[in-house]
Amino acid sequence: MATEDGGSVEAIRGTVLDLGFARRAPPLLTAVRCARPDGDDVLAWIHAHLGERRARAIAVDDTRGLRAGARVDVVGEHLSIPVGEALLGRVIDLQGRPLDGGPGFEGVPRWSIHRAAPPPSARVGWSEVFHTGIKVIDLFCPFVHGGRAAVFGGAGVGKTVVLTELIHNVVEDLRGVAVFAGIGERSREGLELWDEMRRRGVLDRTALVFGQMKEVPGARFSVGLAALSLAEYFRDELGKDVVFVADNLYRHVQAGMEVSAMLGRSPSRVGYQPTLAADIAAIEERITATKRGGMISVQAVYVPADDFGDPAVTHAFWHMDSALVLSRDVAAEGYYPAVDPLTSTSKALDAAIVGARHYELAERARSMLARHEELRDIISMLGMDELSADDRAMVGRARRLRAFLTQPFHVMQTFTGEPGRSVSIGDTLDGVEAILEGGCDDLPEDALFMIGALAEASRAA
């Protein structure tokens, strides 16, 4: 029965709860606690009103053991997360509970996870190119301050490795902080990331928020929003530049699909929730630089069955300023990072933004690689001897360029034994120009493979 100052659980469908209240139902997004007789209370938030005194809520805790008729207490605020510099170097979950064995966050200010996107008047446009130190990214798919970048790829092509390397490269020289959102992360991946950040000495400038794969859909669906609130606090209240890293946006969509099914909604295309576009926009529209602080976002997006026409993937593409596409075919040839330069795009690859020289070299390199792809079938069937002299020279340069765009990563040094490299944009452009102009025609391809700047190739040769 509903009590005078609260309510009761009327029905339980997985992690979706129907609640009844003695008085008027609380506003949307209000947090409530449902009493579980043999364990901790179940935290949930109001998703919809079913009448004046009835509401439907989404639980962010496991509902096992919860019974119909259980008491419901209104917390009186939205779901919130602790914010501030006390979170740097720490790993927490959606509710702000420490996952690293450290102390709790009593007395630390908290912000709601449900926040409106900044109005257009508060936003600022792109300020400058954001160099990552990864050659193929900086050349073909430059990131920009205040922009959104995504790493698209199927299973096992290296999305998380690229994201971890980006965190390593940018946090060392970052004027601000990094916030990592682990959406549906495996426990092993979270431990590896935490250990890598600690070993590299950059953990004290990084805050990590995890909604692990074992957690209920409501928690996985909300953890990206929670991590964004923490990033927004650093940006808007402390005026810091923030790198917001999310792995994996597709798991946010998956969790939303599970929640939508339990809410009884009819599915949309390919079984996705009918609110797919709004669910993605709820995160992406909050990611922007404002007049108070900067923000850049780098997100991993899983591509199911390597189908780039999947609705979730296409909806994510619409929001991105830079889209880095990882290819299984490139990975199969042993080129890492396995970036496909012919399908990767960036709105910043413009002569007015990156400069005329960078733009021209990127276009020439992309044209050469495209021509090489056109000739691959002829080469495989008839051999190089059937090509003209100009095409043979071009193919040799294209292969050297592909080899040069590989790079050993710092985060893989433990596994490969090869020290990582971070390459400046100037060295990247100099190396690409030398290859395009034929300055490396006498070097073997192997000398250009897995190096940093071009100067290493001469020493290797």
Side-chain angles (χ1 to χ4, degrees):
M1 294 293 293
T3 59
E4 183 178 351
D5 57 346
S8 65
V9 177
E10 293 184 348
I12 305 168
R13 292 190 300 277
T15 55
V16 172
L17 312 174
D18 285 354
L19 311 177
F21 294 89
R23 300 177 181 176
R24 183 172 297 178
L28 297 181
L29 305 182
T30 300
V32 296
R33 290 191 178 276
C34 307
R36 185 163 43 189
D38 55 351
D40 297 330
D41 292 346
V42 174
L43 185 64
W45 54 274
I46 302 296
H47 173 267
H49 289 150
L50 305 178
E52 185 178 2
R53 298 184 180 184
R54 299 181 65 240
R56 184 159 289 161
I58 297 174
V60 296
D61 287 317
D62 194 338
T63 56
R64 283 179 293 185
L66 186 65
R67 300 172 183 172
R71 176 187 173 90
V72 175
D73 294 312
V74 179
V75 175
E77 58 185 12
H78 295 175
L79 284 184
S80 62
I81 186 171
V83 294
E85 294 186 335
L87 276 296
L88 294 177
R90 301 299 305 276
V91 186
I92 62 172
D93 68 3
L94 167 66
Q95 300 179 44
R97 296 173 296 204
L99 299 177
D100 54 8
F105 299 97
E106 292 76 11
V108 175
R110 301 179 72 95
W111 269 22
S112 167
I113 71 169
H114 300 287
R115 296 175 55 81
S121 60
R123 303 182 183 216
V124 295
W126 299 340
S127 55
E128 57 184 354
V129 176
F130 183 85
H131 297 307
T132 66
I134 301 175
K135 292 180 289 188
V136 67
I137 296 178
D138 290 340
L139 176 65
F140 290 115
C141 190
F143 298 170
V144 286
H145 286 278
R148 308 181 194 101
V151 182
F152 293 87
V157 294
K159 297 183 299 298
T160 300
V161 173
V162 171
L163 255 64
T164 308
E165 181 72 5
L166 280 168
I167 295 175
H168 171 273
N169 287 0
V170 303
V171 171
E172 283 191 337
D173 300 320
L174 190 65
R175 297 186 298 272
V177 299
V179 176
F180 181 88
I183 306 173
E185 282 284 275
R186 302 174 183 89
S187 299
R188 169 186 57 80
E189 293 173 334
L191 178 60
E192 289 174 354
L193 177 65
W194 176 82
D195 187 61
E196 179 65 26
M197 296 298 100
R198 181 178 56 82
R199 192 162 56 85
R200 294 289 176 183
V202 297
L203 187 62
D204 60 342
R205 283 166 285 168
T206 308
L208 300 97
V209 185
F210 281 97
Q212 299 177 75
M213 191 174 284
K214 65 180 182 181
E215 298 188 32
V216 298
R220 287 181 274 119
F221 184 64
S222 303
V223 70
L225 303 173
L228 253 179
S229 291
L230 176 56
E232 288 169 334
Y233 182 87
F234 285 123
R235 180 194 66 193
D236 296 336
E237 294 297 314
L238 303 183
K240 293 182 178 292
D241 289 338
V242 182
V243 177
F244 178 73
V245 182
D247 187 7
N248 187 300
L249 183 66
Y250 186 79
R251 295 197 189 113
H252 172 77
V253 172
Q254 278 186 313
M257 186 163 43
E258 295 174 49
V259 170
S260 181
M262 286 186 287
L263 288 170
R265 295 174 180 152
S266 297
S268 182
R269 290 176 55 203
V270 201
Y272 286 111
Q273 62 270 42
T275 56
L276 173 63
D279 290 347
I280 294 177
I283 284 186
E284 300 301 336
E285 288 303 307
R286 289 170 60 181
I287 300 172
T288 182
T290 68
K291 295 176 181 178
R292 307 199 65 175
M295 182 182 289
I296 181 174
S297 169
V298 185
Q299 306 163 51
V301 182
Y302 168 68
V303 180
D306 293 340
D307 178 14
F308 284 87
D310 184 90
V313 177
T314 56
H315 278 291
F317 257 115
W318 295 344
H319 290 278
M320 300 305 164
D321 302 304
S322 302
L324 187 72
V325 177
L326 301 186
S327 165
R328 194 171 305 281
D329 293 337
V330 175
E333 295 183 51
Y335 293 104
Y336 288 97
V339 175
D340 183 351
L342 300 182
T343 55
S344 299
T345 62
S346 174
K347 296 176 183 176
L349 192 58
D350 185 291
I353 299 173
V354 298
R357 180 183 181 228
H358 184 162
Y359 176 76
E360 180 186 353
L361 289 174
E363 289 302 300
R364 287 177 60 193
R366 185 170 282 161
S367 176
M368 177 183 288
L369 293 174
R371 178 60 179 161
H372 178 230
E373 286 297 312
E374 293 173 1
L375 295 174
R376 285 171 70 94
D377 289 342
I378 296 176
I379 295 171
S380 63
M381 290 186 294
L382 303 177
M384 289 281 289
D385 293 339
E386 295 301 315
L387 301 180
S388 66
D390 288 343
D391 280 344
R392 284 198 298 272
M394 183 277 300
V395 168
R397 292 172 187 175
R399 289 176 174 173
R400 286 170 175 81
L401 178 61
R402 293 186 70 189
F404 176 67
L405 293 176
T406 61
Q407 188 169 341
F409 281 178
H410 296 87
V411 297
M412 297 302 294
Q413 183 173 343
T414 303
F415 305 100
T416 64
E418 180 72 19
R421 312 285 202 281
S422 181
V423 184
S424 69
I425 185 63
D427 287 342
T428 298
L429 295 180
D430 289 344
V432 170
E433 186 173 33
I435 294 170
L436 294 176
E437 297 294 340
C440 300
D441 288 356
D442 295 333
L443 290 176
E445 292 178 30
D446 290 347
L448 296 163
F449 185 73
M450 282 294 173
I451 63 171
L454 186 62
E456 294 183 34
S458 300
R459 293 195 294 268

